[in-house]
Amino acid sequence: MKYSQTKKIVILVMLLLCVAYSCKKDVQKTKQTESATIEIKKADYKLSLAQWSLHKGIFDGSIDPMNFADDAKKFGFEGLEYVSQLYVSEEVSYPYKEKGLDAILKELKRRSDSLEMKNLIIMIDREGDLSFSDEEITNKAIENHKKWIDAAQFLGCHSIRINLFGEEDKQLWIKNSVRSLKMLVEYSKPKNVAILVENHGGNSSKANLLAEVMKQVNSDYCGTLPDFGNFCVKREGNARWSAPCVEEYDIYKGIEELMPYAKGVSAKSYAFNEQGKETKIDYQRMLQIVSKSNFTGFIGVEYEGSSDYKEGILKTKDLVKKCINNLNN
């Protein structure tokens, strides 16, 4: 009798162990499935169009900036990244311009809403330098940027993108940048608009310095807009734009350093080879860096090459989508 009971107990224990092992395998399988789902979701980015891709046509009058939402939708994008100077610069001329900024914004919102396009960012240029030690200069620049924070709030954008030009001395540049950004955030936070800094030349393209600025500002309403291509820190004759680059920051290291603070990503492109790859930038490597950072926002396509803008935009979009798909395979 005792032997029979012992045998039954042994059998029962073995059955329980089998059940436990089976449950463990099921849990592991579920976790693996969940992990795979997370990976796919992480790389499932929506795409936006940076209006700078159209700047040549807007400057020469062949493209009306008021049609941006329609143009972007026809290209297959879901989000819009506006450029301030393409609406108010003396170099642009289009029928709606004479109505003034308030009327322009109302019409842009009406058109984007009607097309179900998402307004994301306004990129601000030519509104003054924010990183000089002369506070009269920077305070004026801060005031100039406020109207664009208001504009972003009206359009429903999550951010404006600003530039940090100023002192060449890196410690002064950091100090002044932090000061100006904190003042802008103080104004933008109640409006639920973030202030983004792009690596856009000079000290701002030294990603380690810009990352230090982000650490010191330490605000959810301040971040970066990493650009794949804007890592020239010095040009011939110390020119700000146009002149050949004579010193460049490591672009891949730069993106890695800026992604922890990113609230947007600018997939910059210049030229393509016969295989459809960008000739200067390893897009697959860039998208791997973006993915590993757990970034979940829009990726903005920004074509800045010399070929036809339509061809350049579509090639950039196709390359980004291909690289995203590769991340999931």
Side-chain angles (χ1 to χ4, degrees), residues 269-295:
S269 62
Y270 303 96
F272 299 87
N273 60 24
E274 293 181 356
Q275 290 74 41
K277 294 183 178 181
E278 220 287 333
T279 58
K280 298 180 180 179
I281 302 166
D282 184 340
Y283 259 60
Q284 193 64 61
R285 184 176 175 183
M286 285 297 193
L287 266 297
Q288 286 172 344
I289 295 171
V290 171
S291 178
K292 287 179 180 179
S293 74
N294 294 320
F295 175 76

Side-chain angles (χ1 to χ4, degrees), residues 8 15 45 59 70 108 134 175 177 189 193 199 201 206 223 225 247 263 269 281 293 313 322 329:
K8 288 179 179 180
L15 286 172
Y45 300 109
F59 280 132
D70 185 52
L108 289 176
D134 189 328
K175 177 183 176 181
S177 297
K189 183 176 179 179
V193 175
N199 47 301
K206 298 175 183 177
L225 180 65
E247 181 183 349
K263 297 182 184 297
S269 62
I281 302 166
S293 74
I313 289 171
K322 181 180 179 179
N329 295 328

Side-chain angles (χ1 to χ4, degrees), residues 158-313:
H158 62 71
S159 305
I160 66 167
R161 185 276 278 147
I162 60 94
N163 297 309
L164 285 180
F165 295 115
E167 303 296 341
E168 292 187 16
D169 180 275
K170 63 181 182 180
Q171 293 305 323
L172 285 176
W173 179 85
I174 290 173
K175 177 183 176 181
N176 300 334
S177 297
V178 171
R179 179 196 65 213
S180 292
L181 286 172
K182 285 185 174 180
M183 293 175 71
L184 285 173
V185 166
E186 183 179 3
Y187 184 81
S188 71
K189 183 176 179 179
K191 300 174 184 293
N192 199 32
V193 175
I195 309 299
L196 308 187
V197 184
E198 182 179 350
N199 47 301
H200 216 188
N203 282 324
S204 73
S205 288
K206 298 175 183 177
N208 60 332
L209 299 186
L210 184 51
E212 178 59 30
V213 169
M214 292 297 113
K215 290 177 185 176
Q216 292 191 29
V217 175
N218 189 29
S219 171
D220 290 338
Y221 286 85
C222 186
T224 60
L225 180 65
D227 185 296
F228 289 0
N230 285 353
F231 283 100
C232 182
V233 300
K234 187 176 181 180
R235 297 184 181 276
E236 284 186 2
N238 286 323
R240 182 172 291 185
W241 309 116
S242 302
C245 183
V246 295
E247 181 183 349
E248 186 175 47
Y249 198 84
D250 184 295
I251 64 175
Y252 306 104
K253 178 184 176 184
I255 294 296
E256 286 182 345
E257 292 171 330
L258 297 180
M259 282 309 302
Y261 312 97
K263 297 182 184 297
V265 172
S266 183
K268 174 70 62 62
S269 62
Y270 303 96
F272 299 87
N273 60 24
E274 293 181 356
Q275 290 74 41
K277 294 183 178 181
E278 220 287 333
T279 58
K280 298 180 180 179
I281 302 166
D282 184 340
Y283 259 60
Q284 193 64 61
R285 184 176 175 183
M286 285 297 193
L287 266 297
Q288 286 172 344
I289 295 171
V290 171
S291 178
K292 287 179 180 179
S293 74
N294 294 320
F295 175 76
T296 58
F298 279 74
I299 294 180
V301 164
E302 186 174 15
Y303 175 66
E304 200 172 16
S306 57
S307 298
D308 176 74
Y309 75 92
K310 294 180 182 179
E311 179 184 354
I313 289 171

Side-chain angles (χ1 to χ4, degrees), residues 36-214:
T37 302
I38 291 171
E39 288 300 316
I40 292 173
K41 189 174 183 180
K42 184 194 298 184
D44 188 21
Y45 300 109
K46 293 182 179 180
L47 303 185
S48 52
L49 179 63
Q51 195 173 24
W52 191 249
S53 303
L54 311 173
H55 76 279
K56 292 180 181 178
I58 293 174
F59 280 132
D60 69 22
S62 62
I63 297 176
D64 187 338
M66 298 302 297
N67 295 331
F68 181 41
D70 185 52
D71 291 338
K73 190 176 184 69
K74 288 177 179 177
F75 279 119
F77 293 96
E78 298 181 61
L80 303 172
E81 300 179 12
Y82 298 89
V83 177
S84 65
Q85 64 170 303
L86 298 182
Y87 291 95
V88 299
S89 170
E90 294 180 357
E91 300 171 50
V92 299
S93 179
Y94 57 99
Y96 224 90
K97 185 179 180 182
E98 63 185 29
K99 296 180 182 290
L101 183 58
D102 287 345
I104 291 169
L105 292 171
K106 288 179 182 178
E107 182 62 13
L108 289 176
K109 182 167 175 56
R110 185 191 70 78
R111 296 189 188 191
S112 59
D113 287 349
S114 68
L115 293 168
E116 298 182 332
M117 295 292 285
K118 182 70 173 176
N119 295 324
L120 301 172
I121 300 171
I122 307 177
M123 300 187 185
I124 315 304
D125 299 309
R126 303 182 181 184
E127 292 292 358
D129 296 337
L130 293 161
S131 299
F132 279 115
S133 296
D134 189 328
E135 293 190 28
E136 184 177 346
I137 292 175
T138 56
N139 286 342
K140 183 178 180 180
I142 288 167
E143 289 303 312
N144 290 344
H145 281 79
K146 287 182 178 179
K147 65 176 177 290
W148 293 109
I149 295 173
D150 295 341
Q153 180 189 33
F154 177 79
L155 289 176
C157 296
H158 62 71
S159 305
I160 66 167
R161 185 276 278 147
I162 60 94
N163 297 309
L164 285 180
F165 295 115
E167 303 296 341
E168 292 187 16
D169 180 275
K170 63 181 182 180
Q171 293 305 323
L172 285 176
W173 179 85
I174 290 173
K175 177 183 176 181
N176 300 334
S177 297
V178 171
R179 179 196 65 213
S180 292
L181 286 172
K182 285 185 174 180
M183 293 175 71
L184 285 173
V185 166
E186 183 179 3
Y187 184 81
S188 71
K189 183 176 179 179
K191 300 174 184 293
N192 199 32
V193 175
I195 309 299
L196 308 187
V197 184
E198 182 179 350
N199 47 301
H200 216 188
N203 282 324
S204 73
S205 288
K206 298 175 183 177
N208 60 332
L209 299 186
L210 184 51
E212 178 59 30
V213 169
M214 292 297 113

Side-chain angles (χ1 to χ4, degrees), residues 5-21:
Q5 288 179 338
T6 302
K7 186 175 181 181
K8 288 179 179 180
I9 291 171
V10 170
I11 292 172
L12 179 60
V13 170
M14 291 180 65
L15 286 172
L16 288 173
L17 287 173
C18 288
V19 170
Y21 179 78

